[in-house]
Amino acid sequence: MSPEHRARVEALNRQLLQHDSATETLARWRGVACAEVSACRIGDDERAADAETRALLEVGDGDLVRHRRVELLVDGTILSEADNWYVPARLTPEMNRCLDESRTPFGAVVRPLGFRRRTLDAEILAGAPGPYIIRHRAVLVLADETPISLVVEGYTRALLDVAAG
């Protein structure tokens, strides 16, 4: 990877770490409105939340945790892929309906809750083989620190082909 590409990856990573919404950061990076970023579900994968995920979400074994795997796209270009485990009981019925029935990214759906992003891991993969240049793992929390979601995100090489925002 060239020094120029490495610098762009590091700049994007800083942007992602400085903002609570990955969707908004990707829209800015791509130079589009947030509404132009869509979430396309990848399969019908309902991965069960493991013990670590349940602990991070502060839920018991009997509490419902949903899984949503998506690609975030702009104009057909995949900017990231994300696994998202979330607690539907901590969202409004309308938010849950929107997550089930629309292509709206999770961050855009839950924006009215005023969540904050608590990054657990951030890894630059720019020189590694594979489709991703950055991988993040984060918990989205409410103002009172109640977790609503665990996200694992891979940001694609396609992001190097767009202007930095």
Side-chain angles (χ1 to χ4, degrees):
M1 171 161 291
S2 73
E4 176 188 321
H5 279 145
R6 177 74 183 194
R8 288 181 54 120
V9 171
E10 290 173 357
L12 174 59
N13 192 51
R14 279 192 302 277
Q15 289 292 314
L16 289 162
L17 291 170
Q18 291 172 358
H19 297 93
D20 292 319
S21 172
T23 302
E24 290 175 10
T25 301
L26 292 176
R28 260 192 314 278
W29 186 266
R30 183 70 189 215
V32 299
C34 231
E36 293 181 57
V37 179
S38 66
C40 180
R41 288 187 89 117
I42 304 172
D44 295 327
D45 188 13
E46 273 291 328
R47 292 185 191 168
D50 62 18
E52 179 187 14
T53 299
R54 288 185 166 283
L56 288 168
L57 293 174
E58 299 175 9
V59 296
D61 289 338
D63 294 315
L64 178 61
V65 175
R66 298 280 314 270
H67 175 258
R68 187 177 190 232
R69 180 166 175 74
V70 299
E71 296 171 330
L72 291 185
L73 302 106
V74 171
D75 295 330
T77 300
I78 301 169
L79 306 179
S80 72
E81 292 184 4
D83 282 292
N84 182 355
W85 289 267
Y86 63 96
V87 183
R90 296 178 183 162
L91 309 180
T92 68
E94 181 56 33
M95 289 174 184
N96 282 300
R97 209 170 11 264
C98 189
L99 290 170
D100 288 341
E101 299 173 3
S102 80
R103 293 177 58 120
T104 306
F106 187 86
V109 171
V110 301
R111 182 181 302 123
L113 298 176
F115 69 89
R116 286 183 311 98
R117 182 182 185 92
R118 193 171 59 209
T119 302
L120 303 172
D121 303 302
E123 185 178 10
I124 292 180
L125 307 168
Y132 307 125
I133 55 172
I134 299 170
R135 184 176 303 127
H136 282 189
R137 194 168 67 108
V139 175
L140 306 183
V141 298
L142 301 175
D144 66 359
E145 295 297 317
T146 300
I148 59 171
S149 172
L150 169 68
V151 294
V152 179
E153 304 155 324
Y155 298 95
T156 70
R157 296 185 190 287
L159 286 161
L160 296 179
D161 298 332
V162 296

